[in-house]
Amino acid sequence: MSLIVVGTMAYDAIETPFGKTDKIVGGSATYAAYAACNFIQPVNQVSIVGFDFAKEEMNQLESRGVRLEGVKIVPDKKSFFWSGKYHLDMNTRDTLITDLNVLADFNPILPESYQGSEFLMLGNLMPSIQIRVIEQLLQRPKLIVMDTMNFWIESALEDLKKLLKMVDVLMVNDSEARQLGGGFSLVKAARAILEMGPKYLIIKKGEHGALLFQGKEVFFAPALPLEEVFDPTGAGDTFAGGFIGHIAKTRDVSFENMKTAIIIGSAMASFCVEKFGPQRLKEITKQDIDARIRQFVDLVHFEIALQ
Amino acid sequence: MSLIVVGTMAYDAIETPFGKTDKIVGGSATYAAYAACNFIQPVNQVSIVGFDFAKEEMNQLESRGVRLEGVKIVPDKKSFFWSGKYHLDMNTRDTLITDLNVLADFNPILPESYQGSEFLMLGNLMPSIQIRVIEQLLQRPKLIVMDTMNFWIESALEDLKKLLKMVDVLMVNDSEARQLGGGFSLVKAARAILEMGPKYLIIKKGEHGALLFQGKEVFFAPALPLEEVFDPTGAGDTFAGGFIGHIAKTRDVSFENMKTAIIIGSAMASFCVEKFGPQRLKEITKQDIDARIRQFVDLVHFEIALQ
């Protein structure tokens, strides 16, 4: 059992209606790793950081079975930095600052020891970089999952389309799905996207849950109705980490097991938003996770008898 | 087994990105009755129409077990008329025309023969009118369900608060729940609303499904992901009709049975939006409804084993 997670490890400064942080740890691969390591270890991390990335955060990750051999440390540059401000509805945000720093030169090299990993999670990055990771693998993983974003749909569509033919699962949010697939109907957009290559499509709708499409089948997982969404940053990456973590643990890539994986991803994401950054993900125990999953079961369970 | 449905019977002219209608039949009580009659007959209808309301529509309703003794026909006035235009996302609309006509004088009188009905669905109307209906009932129904809208929250809050103490179930959409309960968190808004009187709260989120709250319990029902939402008019009233129809059929007002009722309401609403007006509701058979409910079961069903 082994999993490669590729993505950013970064610093964020976040402002929400509930408060404001100085620089705190963030990045797609950070969130994904903190989620996935609850289900599978090791997590073979691939990323790039600068001299400023806290050693103690690295230690934290390592103590949870996240291997950092594939994380390049650039001694004379700073880590990727993002700063954003959420609107009152928490669904929309303005980016205030994007300092690429080390990310400008990111050319991931897979360590030899990562070869043979069975599962691959490609966090949101320039599609050509995601492709380069896949091309370095001597053996194709059982399942390749990728995330992307509107920026790449607009600026790197050719590479993205090439990449879509190389992966099994695409994860995007609803507006990205509409942008990539065309039109307002998510069902139609999903059909168009599945024709571009991936066998499975997961559309993340934030507080409105997530949809899984495969062929003509569709599964819906709700988001847990929360009293307060404190900070949505990283929720999508945490979802991805929980999803691929469960798949890697069970080594079962059936549609049925993907449903379960989506519920687990949703449960992990529901923790993520409770505190700033990945803080809450560091606190939770297996008991917390199981209790949260039970809440999801209760949330959607109903009995119906058709006569 | 008997059900009273109170609301409007009207004409609508609708424009959507897919087309445009002349005057077609609409109104909250029309949609609710066409949905409820699949599960319970008779439906004891209470409404008001003008000289222009088509006799053949009345006959259609009567042939489906909808009793019209409580529908007042005003010989020298026209029926309530609403005209609206949906935006491209189908979630928002502009009202173009509202001609109250007969609705300006609506003072519902319950026929004697409706007394003793066990279930009451109060469609969206001025709260003082909804109160007057309840006050005419010699025996309190087993369950009183009401709908309302932003207009009454803004203009008739005192009456609305009085009414909320008299009913069992409140149905509103998400923006109305936020307006009535305060704040952005639906969970907090729900708690505030439940303190105003109703034992159950259903928050309709359109294409994002529906939430049922009781005390600390919550249930979520998705909306079916549809290729095309052709016309959303009446979907909420159809949901209400399916919901109360199932409750009246089963005479079971438990939380568990309300979950089932919400799934059935959602299934009925998913038909409603497939064609203009209540057209699709007139076409469907029991087989269609059962097949649609099975789609809902498949949509949210997952197995999870906690170790």
Side-chain angles (χ1 to χ4, degrees):
Chain A
M1 300 201 299
S2 50
L3 165 67
I4 298 174
V5 169
V6 187
T8 56
M9 293 172 69
Y11 280 107
D12 296 335
I14 299 159
E15 198 177 330
T16 78
F18 301 105
K20 204 175 157 168
T21 65
D22 283 332
K23 282 189 174 190
I24 58 169
V25 167
S28 60
T30 311
Y31 283 103
Y34 273 122
C37 69
N38 288 284
F39 307 97
I40 183 164
Q41 296 187 3
V43 173
N44 293 325
Q45 192 88 336
V46 177
S47 192
I48 189 165
V49 298
F51 63 85
D52 57 340
F53 201 84
K55 185 71 189 139
E56 72 187 45
E57 195 71 30
M58 299 286 215
N59 295 343
Q60 275 261 13
L61 285 163
E62 276 186 322
S63 74
R64 289 157 194 261
V66 181
R67 298 181 58 207
L68 302 176
E69 197 185 337
V71 178
K72 187 173 177 187
I73 302 172
V74 183
D76 59 347
K77 284 197 173 173
K78 283 183 137 183
S79 302
F80 174 47
F81 175 70
W82 175 82
S83 168
K85 182 177 173 171
Y86 288 87
H87 300 172
L88 200 53
D89 67 2
M90 287 292 207
N91 276 328
T92 49
R93 68 187 186 189
D94 294 326
T95 288
L96 304 175
I97 304 169
T98 306
D99 286 340
L100 285 181
N101 300 326
V102 294
L103 206 62
D105 316 313
F106 189 30
N107 182 18
I109 308 294
L110 275 196
E112 281 242 350
S113 64
Y114 287 14
Q115 290 291 349
S117 291
E118 289 180 305
F119 299 92
L120 171 60
M121 174 70 226
L122 294 168
N124 168 43
L125 285 168
M126 191 189 295
S128 61
I129 297 179
Q130 293 172 309
I131 289 171
R132 231 173 292 151
V133 172
I134 297 176
E135 288 177 341
Q136 289 175 59
L137 287 163
L138 303 176
Q139 204 181 329
R140 193 191 190 279
K142 277 170 87 94
L143 197 79
I144 303 178
V145 182
M146 68 166 281
D147 192 3
T148 191
M149 70 183 291
N150 53 354
F151 184 74
W152 309 121
I153 299 172
E154 287 152 24
S155 65
L157 189 59
E158 283 315 299
D159 283 346
L160 183 59
K161 285 192 169 172
K162 182 180 167 193
L163 174 59
L164 286 172
K165 294 189 200 309
M166 305 168 78
V167 305
D168 302 295
V169 184
L170 171 67
M171 284 183 185
V172 284
N173 69 31
D174 43 358
S175 72
E176 290 155 356
R178 290 189 168 105
Q179 196 180 0
L180 183 60
F184 274 95
S185 160
L186 286 179
V187 176
K188 284 190 174 174
R191 193 185 303 143
I193 291 169
L194 289 175
E195 277 171 16
M196 297 176 188
K199 282 190 282 293
Y200 302 91
L201 170 67
I202 295 171
I203 300 180
K204 300 172 288 183
K205 303 199 297 170
E207 62 163 326
H208 299 304
L211 289 163
L212 167 66
F213 292 91
Q214 180 208 21
K216 294 198 164 181
E217 292 204 87
V218 56
F219 171 69
F220 175 82
L224 205 65
L226 293 169
E227 279 210 27
E228 224 58 278
V229 170
F230 193 80
D231 171 21
T233 310
D237 304 311
T238 304
F239 173 90
F243 175 85
I244 194 72
H246 173 77
I247 299 278
K249 173 189 173 186
T250 53
R251 303 177 72 196
D252 173 356
V253 299
S254 67
F255 187 74
E256 278 308 305
N257 195 46
M258 285 202 192
K259 293 181 185 180
T260 310
I262 284 184
I263 295 291
I264 288 171
S266 302
M268 298 309 292
S270 76
F271 285 117
C272 176
V273 303
E274 290 179 343
K275 290 194 178 177
F276 273 125
Q279 184 53 39
R280 188 76 182 112
L281 297 178
K282 299 182 193 176
E283 298 168 356
I284 52 173
T285 63
K286 180 165 187 337
Q287 283 69 35
D288 293 325
I289 295 170
D290 285 355
R292 186 59 59 94
I293 291 169
R294 252 177 238 115
Q295 281 184 271
F296 275 84
V297 173
D298 292 342
L299 181 64
V300 295
H301 178 79
F302 64 91
E303 298 286 349
I304 211 155
L306 298 173
Q307 287 132 14
Chain B
M1 301 201 298
S2 50
L3 165 66
I4 298 173
V5 168
V6 186
T8 56
M9 293 172 70
Y11 280 108
D12 296 337
I14 300 160
E15 198 177 331
T16 79
F18 302 105
K20 203 175 159 168
T21 65
D22 283 330
K23 282 190 173 188
I24 57 169
V25 167
S28 60
T30 310
Y31 284 103
Y34 273 121
C37 68
N38 288 284
F39 307 96
I40 183 164
Q41 296 186 3
V43 173
N44 293 323
Q45 192 88 335
V46 178
S47 192
I48 189 166
V49 298
F51 63 86
D52 57 340
F53 202 83
K55 184 72 190 138
E56 72 187 43
E57 195 71 30
M58 299 287 215
N59 294 344
Q60 275 261 12
L61 286 163
E62 277 186 322
S63 74
R64 288 155 194 262
V66 182
R67 297 180 57 208
L68 301 176
E69 197 185 337
V71 178
K72 186 173 175 184
I73 303 171
V74 182
D76 58 348
K77 285 196 172 174
K78 282 181 137 186
S79 301
F80 175 48
F81 174 69
W82 175 83
S83 168
K85 181 179 173 170
Y86 288 87
H87 300 171
L88 202 53
D89 67 2
M90 287 291 207
N91 276 329
T92 48
R93 67 186 186 189
D94 294 325
T95 289
L96 304 176
I97 304 169
T98 307
D99 287 337
L100 285 181
N101 299 327
V102 293
L103 207 60
D105 315 313
F106 190 29
N107 181 19
I109 307 294
L110 276 195
E112 281 242 353
S113 64
Y114 288 14
Q115 290 292 348
S117 291
E118 290 181 305
F119 299 93
L120 172 60
M121 175 70 227
L122 293 167
N124 169 43
L125 285 169
M126 191 190 295
S128 61
I129 296 179
Q130 293 173 310
I131 290 172
R132 230 172 294 151
V133 172
I134 297 176
E135 287 178 342
Q136 288 175 59
L137 288 162
L138 303 175
Q139 204 181 329
R140 192 189 189 280
K142 277 171 87 95
L143 197 79
I144 303 178
V145 182
M146 67 166 282
D147 191 3
T148 191
M149 70 183 291
N150 53 355
F151 184 73
W152 309 120
I153 299 172
E154 287 152 22
S155 65
L157 190 59
E158 282 315 300
D159 282 346
L160 183 60
K161 285 191 169 170
K162 182 181 166 194
L163 174 60
L164 285 172
K165 294 190 201 307
M166 303 168 80
V167 305
D168 302 295
V169 183
L170 172 67
M171 286 184 181
V172 283
N173 70 30
D174 43 358
S175 72
E176 290 156 354
R178 290 190 168 104
Q179 195 181 359
L180 183 60
F184 274 96
S185 161
L186 286 180
V187 176
K188 283 190 174 174
R191 194 185 302 143
I193 291 169
L194 288 175
E195 277 170 16
M196 296 177 190
K199 284 191 279 295
Y200 303 91
L201 170 66
I202 295 171
I203 300 181
K204 299 172 289 182
K205 304 201 294 170
E207 61 163 326
H208 300 304
L211 289 162
L212 167 66
F213 293 91
Q214 180 207 21
K216 295 197 162 179
E217 292 204 87
V218 56
F219 171 70
F220 176 82
L224 204 66
L226 293 169
E227 279 209 29
E228 225 57 277
V229 171
F230 192 79
D231 171 21
T233 310
D237 303 311
T238 303
F239 173 90
F243 175 85
I244 194 71
H246 174 76
I247 299 278
K249 172 188 173 185
T250 54
R251 302 177 72 195
D252 172 354
V253 298
S254 68
F255 187 73
E256 279 308 305
N257 195 47
M258 284 200 193
K259 293 181 184 181
T260 310
I262 284 184
I263 296 292
I264 288 170
S266 302
M268 298 308 293
S270 77
F271 285 117
C272 176
V273 304
E274 290 179 344
K275 291 195 176 174
F276 273 124
Q279 184 54 39
R280 188 74 182 113
L281 297 178
K282 298 183 195 178
E283 298 168 357
I284 53 174
T285 63
K286 180 161 187 339
Q287 282 70 34
D288 294 324
I289 296 171
D290 284 355
R292 187 60 58 93
I293 291 169
R294 254 177 235 114
Q295 281 185 271
F296 274 85
V297 173
D298 291 344
L299 181 64
V300 295
H301 178 80
F302 64 91
E303 297 287 348
I304 210 156
L306 298 173
Q307 287 132 12

